């Protein structure tokens, strides 16, 4: 949560377990007279290949989610990184980053061209890259 969200009483309801499970904690907002839901948890759990929390940096996210795709890409396979989430969740920052903490797109391009440069004597490469953003059902390329 942002500092101003905490200041007005906001609290975290998302937990990461073992870097593989996201737990949405019951926000405990059941009305006192809602007898059907009293004493029942509404906690939800979702399993993923990897889960990142607010303490994970750009490099950690890149190393564990995208970097391994490059070898396959250089062997002719298409690769896709898909970032999805609510507005304000950090998708744009994760993908683009900033000057001091580059995002996945910059780190991918840096590593890709380093690998191409190392293999330049053995292979010929044609690199084509496309970045798409879907925002409010509009596609930006």
């Amino acid at each position: 949560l942002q500092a101003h969200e905490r200041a007005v009483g906001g609290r975290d309801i998302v937990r990461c377990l073992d870097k593989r499970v996201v737990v949405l904690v019951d926000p405990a907002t059941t009305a006192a007279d809602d007898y059907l839901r009293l004493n029942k948890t509404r906690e939800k759990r979702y399993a993923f290949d990897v889960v990142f929390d607010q303490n994970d940096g750009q490099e950690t996210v890149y190393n564990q989610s995208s970097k391994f795709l490059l070898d396959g890409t250089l062997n002719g396979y298409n690769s896709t990184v898909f970032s999805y989430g609510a507005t304000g969740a950090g998708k744009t920052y994760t993908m683009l980053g900033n000057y001091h903490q580059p995002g996945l797109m910059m780190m991918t391009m840096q590593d890709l061209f380093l690998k191409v440069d190392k293999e330049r004597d053995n292979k010929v490469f044609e690199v084509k890259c496309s970045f798409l953003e879907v925002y409010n059902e509009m596609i930006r390329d």
Side-chain angles (χ1 to χ4, degrees):
L1 291 176
Q2 306 267 336
H4 69 277
E5 293 171 314
R6 289 189 192 283
V8 295
R11 60 191 175 91
D12 293 322
I13 63 166
V14 178
R15 306 281 186 272
C16 298
L17 299 177
D18 300 324
K19 295 291 190 183
R20 297 232 181 251
V21 178
V22 172
V23 179
L24 300 180
V25 179
D26 187 344
T29 56
T30 304
D33 63 348
D34 189 352
Y35 300 107
L36 294 175
R37 290 177 186 83
L38 281 177
N39 301 319
K40 292 183 181 176
T41 183
R42 291 186 291 169
E43 176 182 287
K44 302 289 185 202
R45 292 175 180 243
Y46 303 93
F48 297 93
D49 293 333
V50 64
V51 171
F52 304 102
D53 65 23
Q54 68 273 15
N55 300 312
D56 290 318
Q58 297 286 68
E59 195 164 342
T60 299
V61 174
Y62 171 67
N63 287 335
Q64 294 182 17
S65 69
S66 304
K67 187 174 185 173
F68 71 93
L69 297 172
L70 288 175
D71 289 330
T73 301
L74 291 174
N75 284 313
Y77 293 94
N78 289 326
S79 298
T80 300
V81 174
F82 183 77
S83 179
Y84 179 82
T87 298
K91 300 172 300 297
T92 301
Y93 176 74
T94 299
M95 296 305 289
L96 299 178
N98 59 36
Y99 182 78
H100 299 289
Q101 294 182 317
L104 271 61
M105 290 166 53
M106 177 60 92
M107 287 187 271
T108 299
M109 293 293 98
Q110 288 172 334
D111 283 350
L112 176 67
F113 286 110
L114 284 173
K115 287 177 177 276
V116 165
D117 196 45
K118 286 180 184 175
E119 293 290 323
R120 149 169 290 137
D121 293 335
N122 304 322
K123 294 181 181 179
V124 175
F125 294 96
E126 180 181 349
V127 177
K128 293 182 180 183
C129 187
S130 178
F131 298 101
L132 299 174
E133 178 183 22
V134 178
Y135 183 75
N136 286 338
E137 299 182 24
M138 298 295 293
I139 297 174
R140 294 184 226 180
D141 187 0

